Amino acid sequence: MCGEALNPRKWRFTWEAQSHHPTLKLLLFNPAARPVDQCGDLRVRSDPARSAVAVSFTAGSGRDVSLLVPVPRVLIDGDSPASFRALEDHIEVKLALLLPVDHPVMSSLHAALGLSDDGGGALLLPDAPKPLSTDSDLEKLSSKGSVDFYCRSCSAKLTRSPISCFLDSPSINWQEVADNWFGACCCSFGVISEKLVSRYARSYAPSRGRCLLTSRAVIICKDDLMNCEFPEVERNQSCEYQPLLATEDGDQSKVLMHTGSDHATEPTHVCEGKLKSMHLNDENLLECEAVGADVDGSILYCESPGLDLTRNETSVNGCCLHTSHSLSSEHEGHARDASKDMCRQLPPSQRYFLNGFLGDVFMAKSHNISTAIEWVEFSCPQCSALLGSYPCADSCAPLDNGVRFYKCCVSTDMPSKGPDDLFKDYTLERMFSNQILESAKDDLSFRTVVRDMKTKSPVLQIVLLNPNCWLSTGYCFDMDNPPESTTKLILQPVIKVLFNDCRDNTLLSSKTSEEWVRTHSADEVFMLMHQMEALIAHLVSAKDIFPPSMVSFEGLTLSLVQR
């Protein structure tokens, strides 16, 4: 055994516990050692005086090696003996616990003994973070009166003056919980609902002095930012066909309308039937002449699907008025006219919102992505660190005048991550893991492919292994020369995942990744490239806390992401 293997401080330890399971597992490994052959006469004993566990063995050279491993803040069952074994590239030790690490009694006990997360003492790992509570951000920001925003990387001030108006941004999937509001039968509010929605969309548009909050970002009007220049909106227009990225009704084509008119229809329009011609009428509405369209006549007003009142809702199966008769043509005419009026009243950006195409796109789903909208990464004007993004259509100017700052990239006070910074608990990894867990809960999907927002190509494969895992890691101490005190570790809440960086694949492997998505019905999300690069770097680094024999599995790599 070489000198590095004999040095206790070259041995790495990793404590692991599972939710609801009263067992604490210890992994000890050293790249220079092969425990199954070189660690004989293995011994493990508890050292309560130093809040540690002592692991000793006899090396191949006949020299005794003793490792001192600090113990996390858990209740070990002293009456149960430890089980241990030497494996090919690591030593495994299992300790019985009186209570699982996430038991409610443990939290109460820590508080009673003054061992809360904010307790003193230098820890080998940062204090275990509290769960992200995005619901309280609005209350916290409003209670401060006024807030400036700063770049977390260089502390540069981003806002011209403090912002004092904070509102929750509406969900981009708001129509899912408001299905009964739309239509023209007795189950809905009909045209009245459309008027309410248009006023709703207008009231939540980004404007100067007002900050909109999502669970992962703050949306600030570009006029509130300092030292930031945006291109002027281009006043030109063009029409072209592009394939839809994803639709639920199977439509395979759409018309993109690019225009500088204040009353122009939104750049994304779905036309039924085969398009013959299109033109702008006197009111700047795009009219499409189609063949085979399911309307009276050949002229279609290309409007948002969410604002389409031209269909006869009583013909839909399951409607309470599903009878042989239909609404009168007069009623249909009023509905169509009201819909066109709503289209005129709403600017294009707000109609994008009604279709779910605008949000914070930290992790966007395919049905929230439009090929007519490009998301531009927004960087700090001083240090060029990524701060967020904004949507654009005809030019590089923000489509709705709002810039999305991700909470993991900005601070609400100085110093960054200080006690007064309301976003100090936000990190890229925690925001990502929360989204993965939310998707697993809602869609029952434990496999995810992350695609590039711009190219739509797969970049990262993720398989969720364990959403309720607790880990702590560090390096051992020399038992013959221990530190004056060994502070108890804090187990970090993490999710264990398998990942694969698709960027390293050949063209053949890329096709294999697409086949993996189809075979496993993997959930698909879209992210900005810089965020994915930072996330992959974290996954690659985090895999080192496990022994090499545990890292690889069927072409994927074991790692973790902080919860």
Side-chain angles (χ1 to χ4, degrees):
M1 184 177 287
C2 67
E4 285 193 356
L6 297 175
N7 184 357
R9 297 183 181 272
K10 296 294 183 179
W11 282 77
R12 185 163 194 166
F13 69 83
T14 296
W15 291 101
E16 179 180 356
Q18 309 298 329
S19 180
H20 310 302
H21 198 277
T23 301
L24 184 65
K25 182 166 66 176
L26 171 65
L27 304 175
L28 291 167
F29 55 99
N30 186 325
R34 196 167 185 269
V36 68
D37 297 328
Q38 300 173 330
C39 299
D41 191 22
L42 187 62
R43 305 175 299 279
V44 177
R45 65 178 179 85
S46 177
D47 190 348
R50 287 186 283 195
S51 299
V53 168
V55 179
S56 304
F57 57 86
T58 302
S61 59
R63 177 180 170 182
D64 288 338
V65 179
S66 298
L67 311 176
L68 190 66
V69 186
V71 176
R73 297 175 178 176
V74 294
L75 293 179
I76 297 176
D77 186 356
D79 295 332
S80 298
S83 63
F84 49 87
R85 55 178 178 167
L87 300 176
E88 182 176 355
D89 64 348
H90 67 281
I91 298 172
E92 180 186 272
V93 180
K94 290 184 178 180
L95 304 177
L97 300 178
L98 293 175
L99 291 172
V101 294
D102 59 344
H103 195 282
V105 173
M106 291 297 297
S107 300
S108 301
L109 184 61
H110 286 169
L113 298 178
L115 298 177
S116 63
D117 293 344
D118 296 327
L123 303 176
L124 295 181
L125 283 179
D127 288 350
K130 299 177 182 178
L132 288 179
S133 179
T134 58
D135 295 338
S136 63
D137 286 341
L138 177 62
E139 181 181 346
K140 291 178 180 178
L141 287 168
S142 299
S143 64
K144 293 194 70 171
S146 59
V147 175
D148 273 310
F149 291 93
Y150 304 84
C151 171
R152 182 178 288 190
S153 298
C154 68
S155 303
K157 186 180 177 183
L158 302 173
T159 46
R160 297 179 184 274
S161 58
I163 297 176
S164 56
C165 180
F166 301 94
L167 296 172
D168 275 327
S169 179
S171 170
I172 56 176
N173 300 317
W174 60 273
Q175 290 193 30
E176 294 181 1
V177 294
D179 288 341
N180 289 351
W181 283 38
F182 304 98
C185 68
C186 67
C187 297
S188 69
F189 294 98
V191 178
I192 296 177
S193 66
E194 303 296 344
K195 293 183 178 180
L196 292 175
V197 168
S198 66
R199 297 172 69 181
Y200 176 66
R202 217 180 280 113
S203 65
Y204 280 98
S207 59
R208 189 163 189 171
R210 181 165 59 181
C211 174
L212 303 181
L213 276 74
T214 72
S215 60
R216 297 171 293 270
V218 291
I219 305 177
I220 301 177
C221 179
K222 67 181 182 66
D223 297 330
D224 285 321
L225 303 179
M226 61 187 303
N227 301 324
C228 299
E229 296 183 0
F230 297 91
E232 293 295 330
V233 177
E234 297 177 3
R235 296 294 178 177
N236 57 10
Q237 65 181 40
S238 61
C239 297
E240 58 180 293
Y241 265 115
Q242 287 189 16
L244 284 173
L245 179 62
T247 61
E248 297 181 358
D249 54 8
D251 288 339
Q252 296 299 317
S253 64
K254 71 177 179 181
V255 180
L256 301 184
M257 184 63 200
H258 307 288
T259 177
S261 172
D262 294 336
H263 300 286
T265 54
E266 63 179 316
T268 302
H269 307 278
V270 179
C271 297
E272 298 178 344
K274 183 178 180 182
L275 184 71
K276 288 179 59 180
S277 65
M278 57 186 173
H279 64 277
L280 286 176
N281 64 13
D282 294 336
E283 295 171 318
N284 284 325
L285 284 176
L286 178 65
E287 293 183 349
C288 305
E289 186 175 358
V291 177
D294 188 20
V295 292
D296 295 331
S298 60
I299 299 299
L300 289 174
Y301 287 90
C302 300
E303 299 163 348
S304 160
L307 295 177
D308 183 13
L309 295 179
T310 61
R311 292 191 307 166
N312 183 354
E313 295 294 337
T314 60
S315 64
V316 181
N317 290 330
C319 177
C320 64
L321 293 182
H322 181 56
T323 60
S324 58
H325 67 276
S326 63
L327 293 178
S328 66
S329 59
E330 180 181 359
H331 187 99
E332 290 180 0
H334 287 316
R336 189 181 297 112
D337 291 340
S339 181
K340 289 187 291 184
D341 288 340
M342 237 72 69
C343 225
R344 296 187 189 99
Q345 295 170 7
L346 286 177
S349 62
Q350 292 171 15
R351 270 168 273 157
Y352 273 118
F353 158 70
L354 293 181
N355 281 289
F357 294 145
L358 297 183
D360 58 40
V361 297
F362 175 76
M363 287 178 64
K365 296 295 186 72
S366 58
H367 57 268
N368 298 130
I369 298 294
S370 170
T371 54
I373 298 177
E374 179 183 358
W375 286 91
V376 179
E377 294 182 343
F378 185 86
S379 301
C380 174
Q382 181 166 314
C383 70
S384 299
L386 179 67
L387 298 177
S389 63
Y390 62 85
C392 64
D394 299 330
S395 68
C396 292
L399 178 64
D400 61 353
N401 290 330
V403 178
R404 283 75 173 155
F405 286 142
Y406 298 122
K407 295 178 181 179
C408 62
C409 300
V410 297
S411 303
T412 62
D413 211 325
M414 299 304 299
S416 296
K417 295 187 177 182
D420 296 327
D421 181 8
L422 301 182
F423 295 159
K424 62 180 180 295
D425 293 331
Y426 285 88
T427 64
L428 174 64
E429 298 81 29
R430 298 188 72 191
M431 290 167 56
F432 178 81
S433 65
N434 280 8
Q435 187 74 17
I436 289 293
L437 294 176
E438 182 179 326
S439 297
K441 180 181 178 180
D442 296 341
D443 303 331
L444 298 179
S445 175
F446 301 97
R447 293 177 174 87
T448 302
V449 59
V450 186
R451 297 181 180 272
D452 182 6
M453 183 75 70
K454 187 173 184 178
T455 65
K456 309 301 184 290
S457 59
V459 177
L460 179 65
Q461 291 173 292
I462 292 283
V463 179
L464 177 61
L465 285 184
N466 190 337
N468 295 308
C469 195
W470 302 77
L471 284 99
S472 185
T473 188
Y475 285 91
C476 301
F477 299 113
D478 188 346
M479 190 181 301
D480 298 330
N481 188 24
E484 295 182 1
S485 62
T486 57
T487 304
K488 284 189 176 182
L489 300 176
I490 294 177
L491 290 172
Q492 304 286 325
V494 301
I495 62 173
K496 292 177 70 174
V497 299
L498 293 172
F499 78 95
N500 176 45
D501 185 355
C502 303
R503 297 175 301 173
D504 298 333
N505 293 344
T506 62
L507 178 60
L508 179 61
S509 298
S510 180
K511 292 181 180 179
T512 303
S513 298
E514 296 291 355
E515 182 65 26
W516 180 84
V517 174
R518 292 190 295 268
T519 302
H520 298 287
S521 299
D523 191 23
E524 295 181 291
V525 296
F526 298 80
M527 294 182 67
L528 301 176
M529 193 62 193
H530 280 86
Q531 290 177 308
M532 288 186 289
E533 290 175 345
L535 182 62
I536 292 174
H538 168 80
L539 291 169
V540 171
S541 176
K543 71 180 178 61
D544 294 336
I545 75 170
F546 298 107
S549 62
M550 299 175 59
V551 169
S552 181
F553 180 78
E554 295 185 356
L556 300 174
T557 303
L558 176 67
S559 188
L560 59 89
V561 184
Q562 189 180 46
R563 272 195 283 129

